[in-house]
Amino acid sequence: MIYHLFQSLKEYDIPGQGLFTYLSFRAMLASVTAMLIALFAGKRIIRMLQRRQIGETIRDLGLEGQLQKKGTPTMGGIIIILAILVPVLLFSDLGNIYTQLLLLTTVWCGAIGFADDYIKVFRHNKDGLHPKAKLLGQVMIGLIIGLAVCFSDEIVVREKVLVSESDEYVVEQGSDSERNVDSETLVASSNGWKMENVLKSTKTTIPFVKDHEFDYKWFSPFKGKWGWYCKWAVYVLMIVVVITACSNGTNLTDGMDGLAAGTSAIVGVVLGILAWLSGNLLNSNYLNIMYIPGTGEIAVFMAAFCGALIGFLWHNSYPAQVFMGDTGSLTIGGIIGVSAVLMRKELLLPVLCGIFLVESLSVIIQRVWFKYTKKKYGEGRRVFKMTPIHHHFQKEGIQSVISKPVNAIPEAKIVTRFWLIGIILAVVTLAMLKIR
């Protein structure tokens, strides 16, 4: 809103209003504002949750310090959602399609998580929202995002155009009063603007190959009209899978104080950097990655996202004063999945979100192996002492295929080590942009 206010008043030449044309300035404002909201509004929300006795029901799983968490307020994801929405509404371009889709994702996934927490807390049903209903909600937001990518004229990529050597080209960045490295950049010739090819494309970014591009049309067995339908169907299906997997992966990671919030903040920083690079012609050309106009606004959103998570960590770090609940974890995962898809960086997620991936795989492997051994030997056997895998390091005295570490590791140390792994994965993800 403040961004649009200054845009409408730009003819009056108000001192300092030019700062709002810089993505970097608006991103910093969004981040700091989100952090302050999470810090100060978070305290009031926690007290409100305590008064209403909205506490977490703890099952005794034999984990160190687990029963001490009984009664800790849950549904703290409300703090995260509020801290994201306010700065985004204030400092983002609300006419930008990417901002609109991310706002929709935040509210949609937040509503799914809130419904799940509400059933657990107020209806005293520890199972919460039925898994099929939760999955349906995730698939629906995935379809909405996928169809928007497919049909919206505002979601495009631009490819380089071969130009005549006789033409002289210069780089321009908006009008004379708006020139800055964050603006959408066009290539100009003496005969007027020479735009790159604007395409509705199914291409995405993939590491280790020339040009860093992969086209989903390669999965299509058809050509022509049916090939067009087939490639977009594959792409939309991939979008649904990515968003659903990210949302559930984050949900599974949320099992220790500060674990999901800290690792997600690290992921958010990388996605913000990638958004800024992809939305800038000069940087995307230098790194030889796709130039996607408008994605710079995702950087502002991700700045608010990271600020909200850092502010929430003030309350959620060990020992936690509040848990984010499914209200927070499903929202965080949805935002990560959608932002990666909109930037065509979803194939980088297995590395960037490696912790979420391993957490999810540990649960799948444990269940499959337990059922297989129960059918074969008459008793279920474990690969890990306990899943998701972060609990494996807390448990001791359980027979499993992977028995190390023998002694339980303190929760705070496990969380810190997972953060360090997350930072390493983040650096590797950024480094892959130059490896081909």
Side-chain angles (χ1 to χ4, degrees):
M1 296 177 183
I2 293 178
Y3 168 76
H4 288 284
L5 176 63
F6 276 103
Q7 286 295 101
S8 64
L9 296 176
K10 63 182 179 180
E11 61 184 86
Y12 297 101
D13 196 24
I14 300 173
Q17 72 177 23
L19 288 172
F20 281 86
T21 63
Y22 288 84
L23 288 174
S24 54
F25 179 73
R26 290 191 285 123
M28 286 188 289
L29 281 179
S31 181
V32 172
T33 304
M35 202 180 305
L36 293 174
I37 290 173
L39 281 172
F40 296 107
K43 291 181 180 179
R44 295 192 174 188
I45 292 174
I46 290 170
R47 287 197 293 268
M48 180 197 73
L49 295 173
Q50 288 172 334
R51 285 196 304 269
R52 294 177 178 270
Q53 297 182 336
I54 303 176
E56 181 77 11
T57 301
I58 303 294
R59 291 181 296 166
D60 187 4
L61 301 174
L63 301 175
E64 179 188 1
Q66 181 191 20
L67 295 180
Q68 298 173 6
K69 300 181 180 183
K70 186 175 181 180
T72 302
T74 187
M75 300 177 77
I78 296 171
I79 300 171
I80 299 172
I81 294 172
L82 179 66
I84 291 173
L85 292 180
V86 172
V88 168
L89 291 174
L90 288 176
F91 304 118
S92 288
D93 179 3
L94 300 181
N96 181 281
I97 184 66
Y98 300 107
T99 301
Q100 294 168 359
L101 291 175
L102 283 167
L103 285 171
L104 174 63
T105 301
T106 304
V107 175
W108 188 291
C109 293
I112 297 172
F114 182 86
D116 189 57
D117 287 335
Y118 182 88
I119 293 171
K120 289 177 182 176
V121 173
F122 292 101
R123 296 190 180 179
H124 306 289
N125 182 348
K126 62 182 180 64
D127 295 325
L129 190 66
H130 195 283
K132 290 183 179 179
K134 191 186 296 186
L135 182 62
L136 178 62
Q138 294 167 332
V139 169
M140 286 178 65
I141 187 63
L143 280 173
I144 291 171
I145 300 299
L147 292 175
V149 171
C150 180
F151 293 108
S152 174
D153 293 333
E154 299 177 63
I155 301 178
V156 295
V157 298
R158 288 182 179 159
E159 294 188 343
K160 298 174 183 177
V161 191
L162 291 176
V163 296
S164 171
E165 294 181 358
S166 60
D167 290 336
E168 294 183 1
Y169 290 86
V170 296
V171 175
E172 293 288 347
Q173 307 197 27
S175 64
D176 291 339
S177 63
E178 296 177 342
R179 290 184 183 179
N180 64 81
V181 295
D182 294 326
S183 299
E184 296 303 341
T185 309
L186 306 176
V187 180
S189 73
S190 57
N191 298 323
W193 294 108
K194 179 68 176 178
M195 301 281 290
E196 292 83 0
N197 279 339
V198 179
L199 299 174
K200 291 296 297 180
S201 174
T202 52
K203 289 183 179 180
T204 191
T205 302
I206 189 171
F208 308 125
V209 298
K210 187 178 180 180
D211 295 328
H212 284 165
E213 290 182 1
F214 173 82
D215 200 332
Y216 286 100
K217 73 178 182 181
W218 298 338
F219 285 128
S220 174
F222 307 105
K223 293 184 179 181
K225 180 180 179 181
W226 287 106
W228 187 91
Y229 287 125
C230 188
K231 74 173 184 178
W232 279 106
V234 171
Y235 191 26
V236 171
L237 178 62
M238 183 65 178
I239 290 173
V240 172
V241 170
V242 168
I243 294 172
T244 303
C246 281
S247 189
N248 286 317
T250 312
N251 186 236
L252 290 172
T253 305
D254 181 32
M256 287 184 175
D257 298 348
L259 178 57
T263 51
S264 298
I266 294 167
V267 171
V269 170
V270 175
L271 290 175
I273 294 171
L274 292 175
W276 187 80
L277 293 173
S278 297
N280 184 284
L281 180 76
L282 300 177
N283 293 324
S284 59
N285 185 58
Y286 171 73
L287 292 171
N288 197 25
I289 59 177
M290 270 191 255
Y291 170 45
I292 310 174
T295 54
E297 288 297 323
I298 298 180
V300 179
F301 191 100
M302 296 312 295
F305 175 80
C306 294
L309 289 175
I310 293 171
F312 182 74
L313 266 175
W314 184 270
H315 311 291
N316 183 240
S317 57
Y318 182 85
Q321 299 170 264
V322 65
F323 299 138
M324 68 171 66
D326 283 14
T327 306
S329 60
L330 292 179
T331 303
I332 291 170
I335 290 171
I336 290 172
V338 171
S339 59
V341 162
L342 294 178
M343 293 185 290
R344 314 296 175 106
K345 303 293 185 292
E346 68 274 7
L347 296 184
L348 299 179
L349 288 180
V351 176
L352 178 59
C353 297
I355 290 176
F356 302 155
L357 177 63
V358 171
E359 295 275 14
S360 301
L361 288 176
S362 70
V363 173
I364 296 171
I365 292 170
Q366 186 88 320
R367 288 183 177 179
V368 171
W369 183 250
F370 190 88
K371 289 180 179 180
Y372 171 75
T373 54
K374 188 173 184 179
K375 184 177 180 180
K376 185 173 182 178
Y377 303 111
E379 62 174 3
R381 298 178 184 179
R382 294 177 171 87
V383 176
F384 308 100
K385 298 174 190 175
M386 187 176 175
T387 56
I389 197 169
H390 54 261
H391 288 315
H392 168 82
F393 301 100
Q394 279 186 299
K395 203 78 171 168
E396 58 184 23
I398 300 293
Q399 187 176 1
S400 60
V401 176
I402 301 175
S403 58
K404 293 184 179 182
V406 177
N407 299 319
I409 300 175
E411 179 176 339
K413 180 172 283 190
I414 296 171
V415 171
T416 303
R417 287 176 175 177
F418 272 59
W419 288 354
L420 293 174
I421 294 170
I423 292 171
I424 293 170
L425 294 174
V427 172
V428 170
T429 301
L430 292 174
M432 287 193 303
L433 293 178
K434 291 300 291 180
I435 299 174
R436 57 175 71 87

